[in-house]
Amino acid sequence: MKKIAEPKDAREMEAKKKAKSFKDKKKNMQRLGGGRGRGGLSLEAFANAKTRSNTYNPAIIKKQREFYKNAKYVSKYKRIVKQQGESSVGARQLEGEEDIGKSDKVDSKNKKNSARSLREIYERKREEEDKARMETEVATLARKEERQRAEARRKELREKMFKKTKSGQPVMKYRIEHILETLQGSKE
C-alpha cells in the first residue's frame, strides 16, 4: 500500500505546485493591469497615461492666481466708478432738472476728463516703472563690473602666488609681499 500512497502524494504535490504557479501568474497579471479577461491597458488608456502632461508648476499657478485676483479688483473698481458716476449724474439731475441738455454736456466732459486722468495715471506709473527698471539695470551692471574686477585681482594674485623658479621652487618674493600687505591691513 505504501507504493500506491507515494504516487498519490507526488501527484498532490505536483498539483499544488501547478496551483501555486497559476496563483503567482494570476497575481502578476493583476499587478500589471490584466486579469479577468482584460489583456492589460487598452491602447487609448496607455497613450493617455503616457501623454498626460505632468506640468505641476507652482510659479505658474501663483501667476494665474494673481492674474485672476487682479482681474477681480479691476472689475470691482470699474463697478464702483460706474456707480459713483451714476450717483453723481442723479445728483446733478436733481439740482437742475430744467437744464437737462447741460447735464449731458457735463457728463461727456467728465468722461473725457476721467479718461484723460486715467491715461495720465497710467503714463506716470509706466514712467516710474521704467525708471525703477533702469535703476536696477544700472545697479546690476555696477555689481557685475565690480565682481569682474575682484575676480581679475584674485586671478592675478593667484598667478603670482603660484609662480615657480626654473628648478620648480616657489618664488617667495610675491608670497612675502602678500603676507606683509595682510599684516599692514590688519594693523590699521
Side-chain angles (χ1 to χ4, degrees):
M1 279 197 182
K2 282 189 177 181
K3 289 182 181 178
I4 297 171
E6 286 178 20
K8 188 177 180 186
D9 289 336
R11 273 187 261 142
E12 285 177 11
M13 287 176 60
E14 194 174 314
K16 283 182 182 179
K17 280 185 183 178
K18 281 185 181 179
K20 188 176 186 295
S21 69
F22 179 73
K23 248 186 193 176
D24 290 345
K25 188 175 180 182
K26 191 175 175 184
K27 278 185 184 177
N28 282 340
M29 286 293 289
Q30 285 179 342
R31 184 174 54 81
L32 294 171
R36 291 195 185 153
R38 292 181 293 175
L41 291 174
S42 67
L43 184 61
E44 186 180 347
F46 178 75
N48 287 340
K50 281 295 195 182
T51 58
R52 184 175 61 213
S53 62
N54 191 10
T55 56
Y56 171 72
N57 191 341
I60 292 173
I61 292 170
K62 185 178 178 186
K63 278 187 179 178
Q64 287 174 343
R65 195 177 297 141
E66 190 175 333
F67 173 78
Y68 288 121
K69 195 170 153 186
N70 289 340
K72 188 172 75 172
Y73 288 143
V74 167
S75 62
K76 191 174 182 182
Y77 172 76
K78 284 182 180 178
R79 198 177 329 116
I80 290 171
V81 167
K82 191 175 180 182
Q83 286 176 352
Q84 287 177 348
E86 289 173 0
S87 66
S88 63
V89 169
R92 279 193 213 105
Q93 285 178 352
L94 287 175
E95 287 174 1
E97 284 185 2
E98 57 272 353
D99 40 74
I100 295 170
K102 277 187 177 180
S103 67
D104 289 340
K105 288 179 184 177
V106 171
D107 287 343
S108 64
K109 196 173 187 180
N110 281 342
K111 285 181 183 176
K112 287 179 184 176
N113 286 341
S114 66
R116 191 177 301 137
S117 65
L118 286 174
R119 181 175 290 282
E120 288 172 1
I121 291 169
Y122 169 75
E123 288 175 355
R124 203 175 311 130
K125 190 173 182 181
R126 183 142 183 190
E127 286 175 6
E128 289 173 2
E129 288 174 355
D130 287 342
K131 191 184 287 184
R133 188 173 58 242
M134 291 295 285
E135 288 173 358
T136 55
E137 285 179 12
V138 167
T140 53
L141 282 173
R143 275 187 300 216
K144 197 173 185 181
E145 288 174 3
E146 180 62 35
R147 197 178 304 128
Q148 286 175 345
R149 282 196 295 266
E151 198 173 306
R153 278 195 306 269
R154 282 195 298 271
K155 190 174 181 182
E156 186 180 323
L157 180 66
R158 183 182 165 97
E159 285 175 2
K160 285 182 179 179
M161 292 293 275
F162 289 113
K163 229 174 203 180
K164 305 247 187 230
T165 61
K166 290 178 187 175
S167 59
Q169 296 295 314
V171 177
M172 295 305 289
K173 173 184 169 183
Y174 301 112
R175 292 181 181 216
I176 293 170
E177 284 177 3
H178 178 68
I179 292 169
L180 279 172
E181 287 173 6
T182 53
L183 286 173
Q184 287 172 351
S186 65
K187 188 178 179 183
E188 293 173 358

